[in-house]
């Protein structure tokens, strides 16, 4: 049963596509079919009132000349060509011809075109036009019932005619409702597919932004430390060779650390192959416990860092710990880059009630290479990280001298719940 339904469905879809491409073919086919089934028999036998029926039935109708009969048939059937494009116009023309025909007392099988026009109006026309069409249709049915009253009971004729008209009207409305439902389902499917694609692109953009922040933090910090150490080592080579050797060793350690972090980040992006040995070796993301090692690294580069914590900061979730670490890393990198070696830095991570405050204060010169109100990529990245936890970043010169970076995170936010 399933394959048969599938074939019918595919056949119906091909027919709909062909009809959309050439709608005139179906309209012409309907006119030709109605003519062959209902008009041609009347032309061959002299009208619906002739034949082998009861004598009283034959006498109730007027016999029309062949030319007049053909003219009325054309007026009834030809407007069906417009039944989809202008259904109300087609219905009005067919109704007018129908009234003229029955006013002459003639009966034609082509009157079925009126019911086809009513069906098409219910399917393709405006719904507010249906009450007027139904009223006109009812008046026409009463006219027919009165004209055939000598052969058929008026009530029997009205019952048959109104039943046929109601069936045509109901069929048109049912098909119209079904098509509207299918169109709504197709539109919803397209909308859901679009929303899925948008979510996919948004997730990809978010992930690219996250990876970009990670790469900026890793590369920017470690390169700043390495450049500072290289400058210090080049200066110390002539005066204190042992200090130059120590700087080179620190450069190597920093480079290996940066390379390991880069491999971790890039390994997450690489698709894992079938071989288990080729899967990326992941290590935990840095947290608050790693800030001490970060301070040791910048101390070796020439900064004097005083680091303290208040509260149980190790109990924070891993996401917030990574945010704190990256904010501290970016702040120390900027201090090393803009203030230079010999700058004293006070670093504090304070956990108090439902707030976490990260404060980095240095005594370097206020005039930096970048104006304090011009945000670079680092400060933008810090703001984005803080915003994930309902926080904000403030950065700028202090009154007097020095530079202050302060981040406040909300522990009760969705991302920072402990």
């Amino acid at each position: 049963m399933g394959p048969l339904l599938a074939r019918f469905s595919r056949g119906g879809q091909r027919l709909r596509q062909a009809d959309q491409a050439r709608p005139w073919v179906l309209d012409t086919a309907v006119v030709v079919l109605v003519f062959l089934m209902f008009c041609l028999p009347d032309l061959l036998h002299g009208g619906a009132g002739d034949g082998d029926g009861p004598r009283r039935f034959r006498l109730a109708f007027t016999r029309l000349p062949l030319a007049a009969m053909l003219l009325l048939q054309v007026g009834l059937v030809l407007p069906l060509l417009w039944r989809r494009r202008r259904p109300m116009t087609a219905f009005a023309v067919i109704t007018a011809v129908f009234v003229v025909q029955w006013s002459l007392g003639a009966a034609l099988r082509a009157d079925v075109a009126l019911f086809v026009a009513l069906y098409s109006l219910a399917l393709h026309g405006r719904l507010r036009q249906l009450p007027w069409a139904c009223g006109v249709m009812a008046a026409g049915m009463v006219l027919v019932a009165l004209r055939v009253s000598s052969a058929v009971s008026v009530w029997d004729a009205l019952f048959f005619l109104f039943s046929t008209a109601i069936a045509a009207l109901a069929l048109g409305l049912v098909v119209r409702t079904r098509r509207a439902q299918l169109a709504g389902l197709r539109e919803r499917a397209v909308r859901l597919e679009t929303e899925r694609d948008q979510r996919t692109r948004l997730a990809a953009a978010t992930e690219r932004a996250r990876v970009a922040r990670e790469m900026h933090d890793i590369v920017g910090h470690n390169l700043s430390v390495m450049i500072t150490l290289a400058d210090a080592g080049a200066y110390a080579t002539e005066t204190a060779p042992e200090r130059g050797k120590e700087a080179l060793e620190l450069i190597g350690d920093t480079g290996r650390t940066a390379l390991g972090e880069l491999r971790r980040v890039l390994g997450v992006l690489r698709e894992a192959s079938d071989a288990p040995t080729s899967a990326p070796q992941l290590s935990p993301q840095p947290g608050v416990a790693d800030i001490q090692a970060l301070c040791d690294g910048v101390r070796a580069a020439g900064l004097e860092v005083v680091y303290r914590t208040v509260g149980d900061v190790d109990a924070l979730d891993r996401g917030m710990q990574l945010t704190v670490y990256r904010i501290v890393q970016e702040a120390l990198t900027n201090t090393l880059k803009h203030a230079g070696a010999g700058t004293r830095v006070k670093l504090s991570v304070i956990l108090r009630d439902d707030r976490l405050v990260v404060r980095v204060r240095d005594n370097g010169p206020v005039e930096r290479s970048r104006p304090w109100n011009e945000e670079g990529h680092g400060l933008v990245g810090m703001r984005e990280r803080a915003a994930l936890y309902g926080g904000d970043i403030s950065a700028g010169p202090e009154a007097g001298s020095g530079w202050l970076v302060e981040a406040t995170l909300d522990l009760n936010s969705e991302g920072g719940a402990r």
Side-chain angles (χ1 to χ4, degrees):
M1 195 66 179
L4 182 61
L5 290 177
R7 282 196 294 270
F8 275 122
S9 178
R10 288 193 296 269
Q13 185 176 3
R14 285 194 292 267
L15 286 176
R16 285 193 298 270
Q17 292 174 353
D19 182 46
Q20 291 175 357
R22 297 179 179 86
W24 59 270
V25 174
L26 180 59
D27 295 335
T28 305
V30 169
V31 172
V32 171
L33 182 63
V34 172
F35 179 82
L36 293 177
M37 292 182 62
F38 300 100
C39 297
L40 194 58
D42 284 347
L43 294 175
L44 295 177
H45 299 97
D50 295 341
D52 299 329
R55 177 178 175 82
R56 59 173 183 166
F57 185 77
R58 294 198 303 268
L59 295 176
F61 302 105
T62 303
R63 181 181 178 87
L64 294 175
L66 186 61
M69 185 187 305
L70 181 60
L71 183 62
L72 289 173
Q73 288 178 344
V74 169
L76 288 170
V77 176
L78 193 61
L80 292 179
L81 288 172
W82 320 323
R83 67 184 186 88
R84 291 194 293 179
R85 289 171 293 173
R86 287 175 172 76
M88 190 61 189
T89 302
F91 178 81
V93 172
I94 293 174
T95 303
V97 177
F98 178 84
V99 171
V100 171
Q101 170 210 322
W102 280 99
S103 299
L104 297 175
L108 296 176
R109 293 181 178 89
D111 290 339
V112 72
L114 183 63
F115 300 103
V116 177
L118 181 63
Y119 162 81
S120 300
L121 180 62
L123 178 59
H124 303 290
R126 299 176 182 176
L127 292 180
R128 65 172 180 266
Q129 296 173 340
L130 280 180
W132 297 96
C134 291
V136 173
M137 188 80 170
M141 297 300 101
V142 171
L143 174 63
V144 174
L146 293 176
R147 294 293 297 183
V148 300
S149 59
S150 60
V152 182
S153 169
V154 173
W155 297 110
D156 292 343
L158 286 176
F159 176 78
F160 173 76
L161 294 172
F162 278 120
S163 297
T164 307
I166 292 173
L169 180 65
L171 181 61
L173 292 175
V174 168
V175 175
R176 183 188 188 118
T177 303
R178 179 61 176 170
R179 288 185 179 180
Q181 291 176 345
L182 292 177
L185 290 175
R186 284 193 293 268
E187 181 182 355
R188 186 171 184 270
V190 172
R191 186 171 65 253
L192 290 176
E193 185 177 355
T194 303
E195 292 176 355
R196 183 200 63 191
D197 295 340
Q198 290 176 345
R199 286 195 299 269
T200 301
R201 289 194 294 269
L202 182 60
T206 302
E207 183 63 15
R208 285 196 298 268
R210 186 191 68 81
V211 172
R213 286 196 301 267
E214 292 290 320
M215 296 290 289
H216 173 272
D217 293 337
I218 294 171
V219 175
H221 169 74
N222 289 288
L223 282 182
S224 296
V225 173
M226 292 170 67
I227 290 172
T228 304
L229 288 172
D231 292 340
Y235 176 78
T237 300
E238 299 178 356
T239 58
E242 65 282 356
R243 297 290 294 174
K245 178 181 178 182
E246 182 181 352
L248 292 176
E249 292 175 350
L250 290 173
I251 291 174
D253 293 338
T254 304
R256 280 187 289 271
T257 301
L259 184 59
E261 292 192 29
L262 284 176
R263 284 175 175 171
R264 173 181 55 78
V265 173
L266 298 178
V268 173
L269 301 179
R270 188 183 306 118
E271 294 182 358
S273 62
D274 296 334
T277 56
S278 64
Q281 301 297 320
L282 306 180
S283 60
Q285 293 274 42
V288 175
D290 300 295
I291 293 180
Q292 186 61 54
L294 180 66
C295 294
D296 293 339
V298 295
R299 287 191 188 103
L303 292 183
E304 299 178 16
V305 182
V306 178
Y307 171 49
R308 71 184 183 97
T309 61
V310 177
D312 188 11
V313 294
D314 292 329
L316 297 172
D317 67 83
R318 294 299 302 174
M320 181 166 281
Q321 289 199 37
L322 175 62
T323 297
V324 172
Y325 180 89
R326 293 305 187 196
I327 290 174
V328 171
Q329 184 184 50
E330 180 64 29
L332 293 179
T333 300
N334 289 337
T335 300
L336 184 63
K337 183 187 303 182
H338 298 292
T343 303
R344 182 178 179 84
V345 180
K346 292 182 179 180
L347 168 62
S348 58
V349 180
I350 303 171
L351 179 61
R352 187 172 297 144
D353 297 331
D354 59 346
R355 312 293 287 180
L356 177 67
V357 179
V358 180
R359 187 178 293 118
V360 183
R361 178 185 288 111
D362 65 64
N363 63 351
V366 174
E367 294 78 11
R368 303 282 174 95
S369 60
R370 180 190 299 272
W372 72 271
N373 59 349
E374 182 181 344
E375 295 188 0
H377 295 290
L379 185 55
V380 172
M382 286 194 290
R383 289 193 190 281
E384 291 176 352
R385 290 183 182 277
L388 294 176
Y389 294 91
D392 195 10
I393 294 284
S394 61
E398 286 197 293
S401 65
W403 195 272
L404 173 64
V405 175
E406 185 173 277
T408 304
L409 308 180
D410 185 5
L411 300 181
N412 293 329
S413 65
E414 182 179 353
R418 289 184 291 175

